[in-house]
Amino acid sequence: MAILGAGRVGTTLGRRFAEAGHAVRYGVRAPDDPKHASVPGPVWSIADAAARADVVVLTTSWAGAEATLRAAGDLAGKVLIDATNPIGPGMVLTHGTTDSGAEQVSRWAPGAQVVKAFNSIGMEVMANPRFGEARAVLWLCGDDVPACDAVSRLAADIGFEPVRLGPLARARFIEPAALVWITASATLGREFAWGILRRD
Ligand SMILES: NC(=O)c1ccc[n+]([C@@H]2O[C@H](COP(=O)([O-])OP(=O)(O)OC[C@H]3O[C@@H](n4cnc5c(N)ncnc54)[C@H](OP(=O)(O)O)[C@@H]3O)[C@@H](O)[C@H]2O)c1
């Protein structure tokens, strides 16, 4: 796996995937920067990390997403997990609800099997998706069914209950869900997650 961006989300997810037994490399724009000394795994250039991975996880700021994908080179045929949130000033979705950041990511990375996931909960939940006996729900979507299968398995590996919502355009629903989570965190704090109540 290549985690593009070694910030809070990147290192949290990277640590969890490594603990679950996956080979994780980080791809950053300045691998020799001393600030990456504490990153929990090998730190390479974006191009090198992406080229040698089957699964690429985009965890940069939204502002850095396009440049990062350009630096990654050809991602055709790879699973590309988009964990970003396309949020601009004033807590507004930059792509509104008739398009989405995930669909923009797909246009920037032609041929990649883009799956939207890991964007709708805070990094504290990524670090520990267990809530007693329950597991945090992870909304995900993507056009490629085997890619969604793979991301569902990865999410389950680190303790989530993955819930697929269909094709990539469903990111138009999942990205606003992040705004709900962020807004609710102002009153609930950050140790809460999505869950589902079922009736038989
Ligand atoms: N924080 C959360 O709880 C949370 C939860 C769900 C989703 N998200 C989303 O996840 C993404 C990352 O959030 P974060 O909290 O991890 O942010 P962060 O700690 O600020 O990390 C952002 C990362 O983006 C990289 N970056 C920024 N501009 C770049 C560029 N032009 N080229 C390459 N890399 C660039 C930074 O690299 P440098 O170190 O080189 O600057 C850094 O590694 C955001 O899209 C956010 O909306 C966050």
Side-chain angles (χ1 to χ4, degrees):
M1 300 180 73
I3 310 279
L4 304 185
R8 293 169 296 178
V9 167
T11 53
T12 301
L13 284 177
R15 188 179 285 112
R16 299 283 293 138
F17 288 131
E19 286 167 359
H22 300 288
V24 172
R25 314 273 183 268
Y26 295 84
V28 301
R29 52 186 164 174
D32 297 329
D33 189 317
K35 75 178 178 183
H36 296 310
S38 59
V39 172
V43 179
W44 293 352
S45 71
I46 292 168
D48 284 347
R52 293 159 79 171
D54 302 316
V55 176
V56 176
V57 193
L58 181 65
T59 72
T60 63
S61 63
W62 180 247
E66 181 177 9
T68 299
L69 290 171
R70 262 189 225 290
D74 183 9
L75 298 179
K78 297 180 190 281
V79 175
L80 173 57
I81 302 175
D82 173 23
T84 65
N85 275 313
I87 300 174
M91 285 284 281
V92 167
L93 290 172
T94 57
H95 287 61
T97 52
T98 55
D99 190 8
S100 63
E103 290 163 278
Q104 179 62 71
V105 162
S106 183
R107 294 190 286 270
W108 283 331
Q113 294 151 1
V114 179
V115 177
K116 188 83 199 187
F118 301 107
N119 70 299
S120 60
I121 31 72
M123 61 181 182
E124 295 82 355
V125 180
M126 301 177 200
N128 180 10
R130 296 268 170 192
F131 289 78
E133 295 298 304
R135 296 182 295 154
V137 160
L138 188 75
W139 309 120
L140 64 94
C141 66
D143 291 335
D144 187 88
V145 171
C148 289
D149 289 343
V151 176
S152 295
R153 281 194 300 274
L154 287 169
D157 282 351
I158 62 170
F160 281 98
E161 179 182 351
V163 178
R164 294 150 67 147
L165 296 186
L168 193 64
R170 297 288 190 265
R172 299 172 191 185
F173 308 158
I174 299 178
E175 290 168 1
L179 291 181
V180 175
W181 193 94
I182 292 165
T183 306
S185 72
T187 47
L188 299 179
R190 295 181 59 89
E191 295 287 351
F192 74 101
W194 300 104
I196 291 176
L197 303 177
R198 289 191 183 87
R199 229 188 276 283
D200 289 335

